[in-house]
Amino acid sequence: MSSNGKPHVGRWLSPFFLTCAVYFLLWSPENQPSWVGALIKCLPILYLVVFLWTVYPGGSYSLLLQGALVCSAVGDSCLVWPEAFLHGMAAFTVAHLLYLWAFGLTPLKPGLLLPVLLASIPYYGLLLWHLPPDMVLPLTAYSLLLAVMLWRGLARGGSTCWGALLFTLSDAVLAWNLFVHPLPHAHLVVMATYYAAQILIALSAFQSPRLKSN
């Protein structure tokens, strides 16, 4: 505990970075989908759930973040198997809904919607031309939700802002790599920005005025 009554969060973050390193060291494009691989992929996100539960156990904001992280871990597991892509998208849809609930609508900052739309509409408009017919509707709905999550993350500011931006970048690179054209080192970019996004959003719990000393 620090002198001002807030927990030292830095010392709790080492396991997160360690599990990320283990994932990147063990991952290979030749790896076959497996439950072991899915678990290794999910460990950093599951640790963030434990981290929030242990260091910041109280408050609805923290609980909503924990729920979103659990859903994200489910989505991560599904995406290990290409045939479960839509299930993974559904899990991440629930995660973004929980993030939206946590971020709230205040301050509203409607002016931030314009840059979000100016970036999102051309990108997803181009992406839609390359989608299989059965993916158009679910990916359009997911893209709209992701854009709203980005807007609310930007409006909240702090580490939430950067987390929402990196989450959107991760998803954009993933979608382009899957549906438009393979990108060099796409997996590394997708997972690095994704893990960074999740920890930044998790750390936003400590910017909340409702932080309780443990």
Side-chain angles (χ1 to χ4, degrees):
M1 189 78 67
S2 64
S3 59
N4 62 4
K6 295 183 179 180
H8 287 293
V9 299
R11 65 177 181 175
W12 289 87
L13 298 181
S14 296
F16 171 80
F17 294 111
L18 177 61
T19 52
C20 288
V22 168
Y23 173 75
F24 286 118
L25 287 172
L26 296 181
W27 182 85
S28 167
E30 288 77 31
N31 289 348
Q32 295 298 313
S34 68
W35 285 107
V36 173
L39 177 61
I40 293 173
K41 183 182 182 183
C42 293
L43 278 178
I45 305 304
L46 294 174
Y47 176 73
L48 289 178
V49 178
V50 176
F51 165 70
L52 286 175
W53 182 263
T54 305
V55 181
Y56 185 11
S60 59
Y61 185 79
S62 177
L63 291 175
L64 288 169
L65 296 190
Q66 291 169 47
L69 288 166
V70 170
C71 293
S72 296
V74 173
D76 287 332
S77 299
C78 292
L79 294 184
V80 170
W81 289 270
E83 61 272 19
F85 183 84
L86 284 177
H87 295 86
M89 187 185 298
F92 277 111
T93 296
V94 178
H96 288 312
L97 287 171
L98 290 172
Y99 278 142
L100 282 174
W101 189 358
F103 299 163
L105 292 175
T106 53
L108 189 61
K109 296 189 177 180
L112 290 173
L113 264 177
L114 180 60
V116 170
L117 294 176
L118 288 177
S120 300
I121 292 176
Y123 173 83
Y124 288 109
L126 182 58
L127 183 64
L128 288 177
W129 285 99
H130 299 271
L131 293 178
D134 61 331
M135 290 294 300
V136 171
L137 185 58
L139 195 60
T140 299
Y142 180 82
S143 301
L144 289 172
L145 178 61
L146 183 64
V148 176
M149 188 280 293
L150 174 59
W151 168 43
R152 298 317 308 148
L154 293 174
R156 186 174 177 87
S159 66
T160 311
C161 167
W162 296 106
L165 280 169
L166 287 173
F167 211 131
T168 304
L169 175 61
S170 178
D171 277 4
V173 174
L174 174 63
W176 193 270
N177 184 65
L178 284 177
F179 300 112
V180 181
H181 189 273
L183 299 172
H185 311 296
H187 184 81
L188 176 62
V189 173
V190 168
M191 294 308 298
T193 51
Y194 169 71
Y195 286 143
Q198 293 285 34
I199 192 172
L200 286 169
I201 294 175
L203 289 174
S204 70
F206 299 91
Q207 300 165 357
S208 169
R210 294 185 297 275
L211 176 66
K212 298 177 181 179
S213 60
N214 184 7

